[in-house]
Amino acid sequence: MQLEAYKRIFFDRQKVLSAVDRAERRSQSKFGAYVRTRARSSLRRRKKASEPGMPPSVHSKDSFATLKNILFGFEPNSRKTVVGIVRTRSRSTSAGPVPMVHELGADVQATVRGKRKNFLYPKRPTMAPALKAVAPQFAEMFKGEVKE
């Protein structure tokens, strides 16, 4: 059999790679949306603080400056999806941006009425539990996505 005949019976390499790339982006996008939805649904609007170890309470009614403002995006160079709470307009604490302080917990220094005080923020994770809950479903999301 000649070379051209062999080429006709084998996959078109670029076509297969393009299909896999499209499927990966679609699946990663779906995965990011699922993690975001799971994280948003774990946040509750209430006046009091949440219990340590539980997701933080949302106090702001502002549509932007809220912990519920969670975005996701596909980073093509690393081929990873990044999901996280948007940094609010409030000032960063001595330990970092407010969403990070809630996620990881921290000892924060702040000036209150002219005096420096220390505040202990216990861990109130949002993103890590959302990722853990959705991660087992990722393989199923990718299943059957590669199409011509």
Side-chain angles (χ1 to χ4, degrees):
M1 198 183 271
Q2 294 195 353
L3 183 59
E4 288 303 316
Y6 279 117
K7 282 185 180 179
R8 280 195 302 269
I9 63 171
F10 283 91
F11 294 111
D12 178 355
R13 181 176 165 80
Q14 190 54 48
K15 194 173 183 180
V16 170
L17 290 176
S18 294
V20 168
D21 188 49
R22 277 191 308 276
E24 179 184 26
R25 287 175 188 269
R26 231 182 355 256
S27 296
Q28 290 277 5
S29 178
K30 202 183 295 185
F31 184 71
Y34 276 39
V35 173
R36 176 179 67 181
T37 301
R38 180 66 181 237
R40 276 184 182 166
S41 68
S42 72
L43 297 168
R44 300 280 182 249
R45 288 193 190 279
R46 56 186 159 221
K47 291 183 181 181
K48 66 176 193 151
S50 64
E51 294 294 319
M54 299 302 292
S57 296
V58 176
H59 304 291
S60 173
K61 290 192 167 103
D62 186 317
S63 62
F64 180 79
T66 176
L67 292 174
K68 285 195 174 227
N69 191 0
I70 301 172
L71 299 178
F72 69 94
F74 180 69
E75 212 302 302
N77 293 333
S78 65
R79 302 178 79 83
K80 293 181 182 177
T81 299
V82 179
V83 186
I85 299 172
V86 175
R87 185 175 172 176
T88 60
R89 288 183 276 215
S90 64
R91 285 179 266 154
S92 289
T93 67
S94 59
V98 172
M100 187 174 78
V101 169
H102 279 300
E103 187 78 20
L104 304 175
D107 189 11
V108 176
Q109 291 182 354
T111 304
V112 179
R113 297 186 188 116
K115 293 183 179 181
R116 305 250 334 134
K117 291 188 172 189
N118 288 338
F119 297 93
L120 179 61
Y121 278 76
K123 284 185 181 181
R124 290 188 169 96
T126 305
M127 301 311 301
L131 175 62
K132 187 176 180 180
V134 175
Q137 301 168 21
F138 181 69
E140 192 64 31
M141 288 179 202
F142 195 74
K143 186 177 177 180
E145 284 290 320
V146 179
K147 299 171 184 143
E148 207 174 309

